[in-house]
């Protein structure tokens, strides 16, 4: 009897593991290029860019709201067009995937032109020149000699570097009326990439010194002992002392805003990718473990991990989910020992956010985004949530973890069996079994022997 019970246990775990690695079909849906093409064709002139949709409680929800180029999110829609060009390169164009309905590269280039004046004249971007540089970084992957993209990267990097204060050890995020109030937000970890991109073009070591200093200071002052993060840290610009730690978009000064946590895990994984500094890797791991350990039982990433459930609702943030999924996939690439943990977690997040937020009737790909709960801006589509949904699928293909038809790749070489993190029990027997059929055979033979 013990033998048969053990066999049933293995069967249930085996099927759970197989199910957990299944990708949602929507990641490669033809609706993605169709919606993106429709949005591109509808951009106003002079150009403005979608940032978020109107919300669920209006007569026509899910319609994009456009904003002037001098807005921190303006680079994400052109970058989405480049991401579809990448997907077309990876997957080819077929009637089934609808990737042949547009020249994505041409659309990416043409829509990016509205960002060029911001290189020398912007007032709202502040530290977010890094995000706005994304489409130009994508262009350089295609044409490394493109002078327009080279100039954009270098000027945006110079803009961010000019916001660095060596006494504080960070680049300033938001401008303040009091110049001694030096505000740094966790999001700024993502903007450091433009410094690396410019360094690759110029060899300017100062840019790397700034990136490392900012990451080191953020690692010390933005993180709590449990791996969670503060959204905002205010410094005294003349002494470098920390004045206050608080939130701007989260529930409270002591809570953890989920999108900020996602920026942290992604940003530090990226810094480790560039530097191989083990402190950056351990910081990314801590951020990831906190994020994953605090997803509630329904699997949906809340807008703030500590926001109360009562009174309801505690809305989700689909954009925090897709940012985190991308960060986890990068972490899997740079942390091979734990790659299966991070990959499985990313896929599970993508499954859950698709079930919750995939909305064919909206202009955005996903609904259930929380732009800013304190500002009553939630249950929307968000342009960066969509962008990271597209790039997550692309990364899965590039890593050999997915086929372009949405199925999970068999025996992916880039998904080695991992060593479980002591801080997490996510590396269940199901995940281990799913990595190697031979393990199942060995355990079965062992059970027969024991019987």
């Amino acid at each position: 009897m013990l033998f048969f019970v053990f066999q049933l246990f293995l069967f249930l775990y085996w099927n759970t593991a197989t199910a957990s690695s299944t990708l949602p079909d929507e990641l490669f849906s033809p609706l993605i290029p169709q919606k993106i093409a429709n949005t591109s064709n509808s951009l106003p002139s002079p150009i403005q860019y979608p940032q978020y949709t109107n919300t669920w409680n209006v007569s026509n929800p899910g319609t994009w709201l456009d904003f002037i180029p001098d807005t921190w999110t303006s680079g994400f829609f052109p970058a989405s067009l480049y991401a579809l060009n990448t997907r077309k390169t990876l997957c080819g164009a077929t009637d089934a995937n609808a990737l042949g309905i547009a020249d994505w590269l041409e659309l990416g280039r043409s829509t990016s032109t509205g960002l060029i004046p911001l290189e020398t004249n912007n007032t709202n971007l502040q530290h977010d020149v890094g995000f706005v540089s994304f489409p130009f970084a994508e262009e350089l992957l295609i044409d490394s000699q493109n002078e327009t993209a080279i100039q954009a990267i270098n000027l945006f990097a110079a803009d961010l570097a000019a916001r660095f204060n060596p006494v504080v050890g960070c680049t300033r995020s938001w401008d303040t009326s009091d110049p001694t109030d030096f505000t740094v937000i966790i999001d700024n970890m993502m903007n450091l990439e433009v410094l690396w991109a410019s360094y690759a073009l110029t060899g300017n070591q100062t840019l790397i010194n700034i990136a490392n200093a900012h990451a080191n200071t953020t690692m010390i002052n933005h993180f709590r002992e449990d791996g969670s993060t503060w959204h905002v840290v205010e410094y005294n610009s003349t002494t470098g002392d920390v004045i206050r730690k608080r939130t701007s978009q989260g529930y409270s000064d002591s809570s953890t805003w989920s999108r900020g946590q996602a920026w942290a895990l992604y940003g530090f994984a990226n810094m480790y990718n560039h530097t191989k500094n083990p402190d950056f890797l351990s910081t990314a791991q801590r951020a990831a473990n906190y994020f994953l350990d605090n997803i509630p039982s329904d699997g949906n990433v809340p807008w703030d991990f500590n926001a109360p459930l009562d009174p309801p609702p505690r809305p989700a943030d689909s954009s925090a989910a897709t940012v985190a999924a991308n960060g986890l996939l990068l972490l899997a690439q740079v942390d091979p020992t734990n790659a299966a943990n991070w990959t499985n977690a990313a896929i599970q997040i993508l499954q859950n956010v698709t079930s919750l937020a995939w909305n064919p009737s909206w202009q955005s790909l996903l609904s259930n985004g929380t732009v800013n709960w304190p500002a009553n801006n939630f249950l929307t589509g968000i342009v960066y949530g969509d962008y990271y949904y597209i790039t997550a699928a692309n990364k899965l293909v590039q890593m050999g973890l997915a086929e372009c038809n949405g199925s999970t790749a068999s025996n992916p070489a880039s998904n080695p069996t991992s060593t479980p993190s002591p801080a997490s029990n996510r590396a269940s027997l199901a995940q281990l079994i799913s990595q190697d059929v031979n393990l199942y055979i060995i355990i079965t033979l062992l059970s027969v022997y024991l019987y």
Side-chain angles (χ1 to χ4, degrees):
M1 176 60 71
L2 179 61
F3 169 73
F4 292 108
V5 170
F6 189 53
Q7 285 292 301
L8 178 61
F9 172 80
L10 287 175
F11 175 80
L12 292 173
Y13 262 104
W14 176 264
N15 282 278
T16 301
T18 303
S20 71
S21 63
T22 302
L23 295 169
D25 294 338
E26 291 85 351
L27 279 171
F28 297 93
S29 169
L31 272 179
I32 293 176
Q34 290 164 2
K35 286 188 175 189
I36 299 294
N38 288 339
T39 299
S40 180
N41 293 332
S42 302
L43 293 176
S45 181
I47 194 165
Q48 295 185 343
Y49 299 97
Q51 181 179 175
Y52 50 81
T53 69
N54 56 11
T55 189
W56 61 276
N57 60 351
V58 298
S59 58
N60 187 28
T63 301
W64 282 120
L65 302 177
D66 296 322
F67 291 79
I68 61 172
D70 194 4
T71 304
W72 79 271
T73 55
S74 293
F76 286 108
F77 185 74
S80 297
L81 295 164
Y82 275 98
L84 286 181
N85 181 68
T86 298
R87 182 170 298 189
K88 185 177 179 180
T89 301
L90 290 170
C91 301
T94 67
D95 291 341
N97 65 26
L99 289 169
I101 63 174
D103 184 338
W104 305 110
L105 180 57
E106 176 56 32
L107 289 177
R109 287 169 171 167
S110 62
T111 58
S112 298
T113 58
L115 305 174
I116 292 173
L118 302 176
E119 297 164 9
T120 55
N121 183 21
N122 68 79
T123 57
N124 298 326
L125 296 184
Q126 302 179 70
H127 67 292
D128 285 320
V129 289
F131 282 127
V132 173
S133 75
F134 280 9
F136 300 106
E138 290 298 320
E139 175 63 34
L140 290 178
L141 295 177
I142 298 165
D143 178 7
S144 62
Q145 304 303 311
N146 187 299
E147 288 297 330
T148 299
I150 290 171
Q151 178 172 285
I153 292 293
N154 288 335
L155 288 175
F156 283 135
D159 197 339
L160 182 60
R163 301 179 69 82
F164 180 72
N165 181 324
V167 175
V168 174
C170 280
T171 57
R172 182 191 291 270
S173 295
W174 297 330
D175 296 334
T176 56
S177 57
D178 179 359
T180 64
D181 182 6
F182 194 95
T183 301
V184 180
I185 64 174
I186 193 65
D187 320 33
N188 213 4
M189 285 301 303
M190 294 294 291
N191 288 293
L192 301 181
E193 177 59 23
V194 72
L195 301 178
W196 289 100
S198 184
Y199 168 74
L201 295 168
T202 65
N204 184 351
Q205 183 64 38
T206 299
L207 301 176
I208 301 314
N209 294 341
I210 290 172
N212 278 301
H214 183 99
N216 277 308
T217 304
T218 300
M219 183 171 60
I220 294 169
N221 293 324
H222 265 84
F223 279 81
R224 304 183 182 99
E225 290 186 6
D226 62 0
S228 65
T229 54
W230 280 279
H231 181 198
V232 183
V233 176
E234 296 178 6
Y235 298 87
N236 182 297
S237 65
T238 59
T239 66
D241 294 338
V242 174
I243 301 170
R244 182 185 177 194
K245 298 182 180 184
R246 64 177 179 86
T247 194
S248 176
Q249 291 171 250
Y251 173 69
S252 72
D253 291 346
S254 61
S255 71
T256 302
W257 176 52
S258 64
R259 192 161 65 244
Q261 191 73 16
W263 294 136
L265 83 87
Y266 199 166
F268 275 96
N270 191 48
M271 282 297 297
Y272 176 73
N273 186 40
H274 284 297
T275 66
K276 300 302 181 282
N277 181 336
D279 291 338
F280 294 158
L281 176 59
S282 63
T283 301
Q285 291 169 331
R286 291 174 62 219
N289 281 325
Y290 181 91
F291 192 101
L292 297 174
D293 289 341
N294 285 275
I295 296 176
S297 58
D298 64 7
N300 296 322
V301 176
W303 72 279
D304 188 298
F305 288 115
N306 305 110
L309 293 171
D310 188 30
R314 179 176 71 172
D317 183 12
S318 55
S319 71
T322 61
V323 171
N326 279 264
L328 289 165
L329 291 175
L330 176 57
L331 195 51
Q333 291 176 294
V334 301
D335 181 20
T337 301
N338 297 294
N341 289 349
W342 309 130
T343 298
N344 291 339
I347 291 174
Q348 187 63 58
I349 287 173
L350 291 169
Q351 287 176 337
N352 293 339
V353 76
T354 300
S355 297
L356 172 73
W358 176 260
N359 200 323
S361 66
W362 283 29
Q363 291 180 353
S364 60
L365 306 180
L366 301 177
S367 60
N368 292 84
T370 297
V371 178
N372 189 335
W373 170 264
N376 202 36
N377 192 344
F378 63 100
L379 291 174
T380 71
I382 303 178
V383 68
Y384 42 91
D386 284 4
Y387 166 74
Y388 286 112
Y389 191 73
I390 297 170
T391 58
N394 289 355
K395 284 185 179 182
L396 288 166
V397 174
Q398 291 166 331
M399 293 170 69
L401 299 172
E403 306 290 349
C404 289
N405 61 7
S407 62
T408 306
S410 59
N411 300 321
S414 58
N415 188 22
T417 303
S418 69
T419 301
S421 166
S424 171
N425 64 359
R426 285 182 300 279
S428 63
L429 179 59
Q431 292 169 327
L432 295 175
I433 292 174
S434 71
Q435 299 306 310
D436 197 338
V437 175
N438 292 328
L439 181 59
Y440 176 81
I441 297 172
I442 291 170
I443 294 176
T444 302
L445 292 175
L446 180 62
S447 70
V448 171
Y449 175 79
L450 292 174
Y451 177 74

